């Protein structure tokens, strides 16, 4: 249950009083003095919510892309696709799968639980709940490490198949990486604690120490072969936790070992476990659908599997630039509003932030679909990746493009449910989404090929978006509104018109301009594609921004800049 709304709460985010007067004149206990302020971190302008932290998160994610590419390129140049690299892939994948099982509570649901604990029981309550979650997760990680150490040979044999050099090497690497799930738990715990405190800078840059560690070990410990990459992976993951440690100390975190019985009785641990169980089922279903798509792509002629994978990587750009930064910042803010009982303020904030995200994702979807072939050529048309591969990848991008907007909005809706500590509703619509994707793929892959598989992903994302939005609307209708209340959500009409006009202008530009772009970077295929992407992308983005602003979408542009309009005054 949500806590009662404090009476006579001070405005502008100041902390509530430690006591309040009851009806009989006695002093009733209020929230702890060190509890989370009544309003989450806001803007200096009282008319806006401040989401400028999204720029920091986006910068960190974007910086990790080139370092990740350098890491993969170095590993490919040193080890190729031989037995050693296969063993490393098997061992790291196995350890990551272990973390996916035991670390789901930290990566998905711990943030709203920690926000609620801090609101209800202050920093001391936050620390108790955090320690209960950490020590439980750490105990599971240590147990998993012991199992990997003892059963490394059989596990490697199960993963590697027939006996061979990769099996023995995979077993050795599994033993070296046995502590990797523990390192990942520590890093995810630090990220969850800082995000629950609305501190995003250090978690945003955790990808850099991991990449630098692997690159450094492969370069300077190359005489140890693939073991150097494993050592870099393990120590780089611990370095992710070390990078965030100063932030933990600065914002009041202290390591303490709770009594086992007290830790197991902590309400936050129970809430985390209840939310984590549905997520495990969802993760398993997603993996099954991914395997189905790979199997269907493998039945298609040519390099369908590789083209599908390369096209899917392009989606990392809108995800790193918009979806992940916005949802990372919005989730703790929504959880704080839910814990404070300020559902009207939270609903308005969520609606404005979601419209702003839609305004950013719409041009991404149009550009990916409209520049599919030039984008594929610019990124990958080198060597063996010839015109046929470009055509296949371009078809996949066309199929993925409609789902970009749907995927981003359904991730925002998922954050809304998680903020209310509800993991069952997203699970139900995930099941419907995955069933839609699987059915569409089975029917369409024979006639549409890669395009059909990509369209299946877009159709599944649209179903999840529709279902979660319908659930939100129904719950909002059931709750009703108080007489004379200030509307907490924007009217959809003006925003829809602005997005439609700006999107239509960009679509017309994409239909007319690419064929007229001169090959100013050269006449090789990838240079021509890059010239089209740069010229049309810049002109289209500028046109979209101008038309959106003139059509009444200025609040959406302000939201993309990190200033989301506050529609309902704080209480």
């Amino acid at each position: 249950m949500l806590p009662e709304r404090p009476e006579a709460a001070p405005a502008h985010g100041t902390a509530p009083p430690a006591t309040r007067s009851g009806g009989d004149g006695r002093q009733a206990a209020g929230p702890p003095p060190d509890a989370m302020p009544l309003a989450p971190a806001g803007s200096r302008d009282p008319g806006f919510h401040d989401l400028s932290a999204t720029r920091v998160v986006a910068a960190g994610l974007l910086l990790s892309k080139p370092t990740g590419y350098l890491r993969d390129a170095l590993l490919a140049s040193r080890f190729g696709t031989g037995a050693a690299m296969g063993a490393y892939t098997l061992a790291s994948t196995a350890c990551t799968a272990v973390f996916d099982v035991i670390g789901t509570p930290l990566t998905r649901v711990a943030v709203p639980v920690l926000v609620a604990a801090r609101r209800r029981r202050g920093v001391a309550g936050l620390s108790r709940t955090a320690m209960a979650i950490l020590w439980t997760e750490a105990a599971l990680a240590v147990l998993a490490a012991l199992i990997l150490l003892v059963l490394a040979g059989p596990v490697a044999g199960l993963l590697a198949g027939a006996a061979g050099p990769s099996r023995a090497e995979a077993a050795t690497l599994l033993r070296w990486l046995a502590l990797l799930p523990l390192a990942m738990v520590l890093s995810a715990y630090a990220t969850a604690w800082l995000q629950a405190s609305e501190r995003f800078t250090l978690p945003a840059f955790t990808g850099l120490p991991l990449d630098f560690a692997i690159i450094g070990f492969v370069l300077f410990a190359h005489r140890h072969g693939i073991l150097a990459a494993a050592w870099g992976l393990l120590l780089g993951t611990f370095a992710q936790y070390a990078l965030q440690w100063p932030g933990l100390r600065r914002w009041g975190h202290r390591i303490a070992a709770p009594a086992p019985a007290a830790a197991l009785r902590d309400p936050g641990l129970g809430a985390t476990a209840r939310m984590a169980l549905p997520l495990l089922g969802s993760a398993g279903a997603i993996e099954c659908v991914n395997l189905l798509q790979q199997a269907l792509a493998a039945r298609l002629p040519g390099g369908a599997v590789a083209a599908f994978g390369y096209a899917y990587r392009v989606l990392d750009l809108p995800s790193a630039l918009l979806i992940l930064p916005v949802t990372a910042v919005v989730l703790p803010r929504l959880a704080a509003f839910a814990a404070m009982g300020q559902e009207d303020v939270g609903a308005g904030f969520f609606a404005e932030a979601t419209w702003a995200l839609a305004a950013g994702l719409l041009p991404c979807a149009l550009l990916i679909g409209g520049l599919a072939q030039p984008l594929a050529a610019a990124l990958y048309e080198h060597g063996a990746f010839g015109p046929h591969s470009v055509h296949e990848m371009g078809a996949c991008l066309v199929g993925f493009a409609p789902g970009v907007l749907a995927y981003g909005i359904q991730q925002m809706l998922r954050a809304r449910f998680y903020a209310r500590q509800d993991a069952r509703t997203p699970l139900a619509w995930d099941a419907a989404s995955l069933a839609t994707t699987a059915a569409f793929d089975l029917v369409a892959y024979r006639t549409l090929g890669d395009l059909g598989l990509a369209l299946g992903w877009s159709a599944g994302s649209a179903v999840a978006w529709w279902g979660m939005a319908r659930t939100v609307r129904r719950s909002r209708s059931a709750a009703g509104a108080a007489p004379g209340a200030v509307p907490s959500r924007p009217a959809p009409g003006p925003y829809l018109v602005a997005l439609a006009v700006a999107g239509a202008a960009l679509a017309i530009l994409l239909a007319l301009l690419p064929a007229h772009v001169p090959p100013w970077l050269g006449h090789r295929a990838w240079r021509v594609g890059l010239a089209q992407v740069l010229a049309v992308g810049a002109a289209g983005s500028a046109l979209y921004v101008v038309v959106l602003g003139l059509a009444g979408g200025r609040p959406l542009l302000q939201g993309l800049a990190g200033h989301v309009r506050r529609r309902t005054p704080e209480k």
Side-chain angles (χ1 to χ4, degrees), residues 277-492:
L277 290 176
L279 288 175
L280 292 176
S282 178
I286 290 173
E287 291 302 322
C288 291
V289 173
N290 288 340
L291 290 175
L292 173 64
Q293 289 182 320
Q294 294 294 324
L296 294 178
R299 294 172 178 264
L300 297 173
V305 175
F308 188 85
Y310 283 123
Y312 197 81
R313 292 180 191 175
V314 175
L315 301 185
D316 284 345
L317 182 59
S319 181
L321 188 63
L322 290 168
I323 299 174
L324 290 178
V326 173
T327 54
V329 176
V330 163
L331 176 58
R333 195 75 56 86
L334 289 176
F337 283 128
M340 294 183 294
Q342 293 193 1
E343 294 295 331
D344 48 357
V345 183
F349 165 71
F350 171 79
E352 291 283 354
T354 303
W355 278 108
L357 178 62
L361 289 176
L362 178 59
C364 291
L366 292 173
L367 289 171
I368 288 174
L371 296 175
Q373 297 293 333
L375 191 59
L379 290 174
Y380 293 112
E381 190 166 3
H382 309 282
F385 202 101
H388 176 71
S389 300
V390 169
H391 176 75
E392 287 190 326
M393 180 180 168
C396 291
L397 289 176
V398 171
F400 281 134
V404 170
L405 179 60
Y407 177 76
I409 303 304
Q410 63 114 332
Q411 290 300 314
M412 284 288 288
L413 291 163
R414 189 185 306 276
R416 180 185 175 108
F417 286 111
Y418 288 164
R420 297 172 61 87
Q421 300 188 22
D422 176 9
R424 294 185 179 181
T425 300
L427 172 64
W429 289 110
D430 280 344
S433 170
L434 294 172
T436 302
T437 299
F440 195 103
D441 288 345
L442 287 170
V443 172
Y445 89 98
R446 292 183 181 275
T447 56
L448 298 178
D450 279 348
L451 175 61
L453 296 179
L455 286 173
W457 177 83
S458 296
S461 298
V463 167
W465 173 16
W466 175 84
M468 293 183 196
R470 181 172 179 268
T471 303
V472 169
R473 286 195 301 269
R474 292 180 63 182
S475 63
R476 192 170 62 212
S477 299
V486 178
S488 61
R489 290 166 294 277

Side-chain angles (χ1 to χ4, degrees), residues 113 167 170 185 227 234 317 360 377 514 530 537 564:
V113 172
R167 176 178 179 176
V185 162
L227 276 178
L234 180 61
L317 182 59
L530 181 60
V564 175

Side-chain angles (χ1 to χ4, degrees), residues 355 492-503 548 551:
W355 278 108
Y495 284 172
L496 279 175
V497 170
L499 289 176
V501 172
L548 183 62

Side-chain angles (χ1 to χ4, degrees), residues 14-42:
T14 56
T19 60
R20 64 180 187 268
S21 296
D24 55 359
R26 292 180 298 178
Q27 294 295 311
D34 59 354
M36 179 176 288
L38 186 59

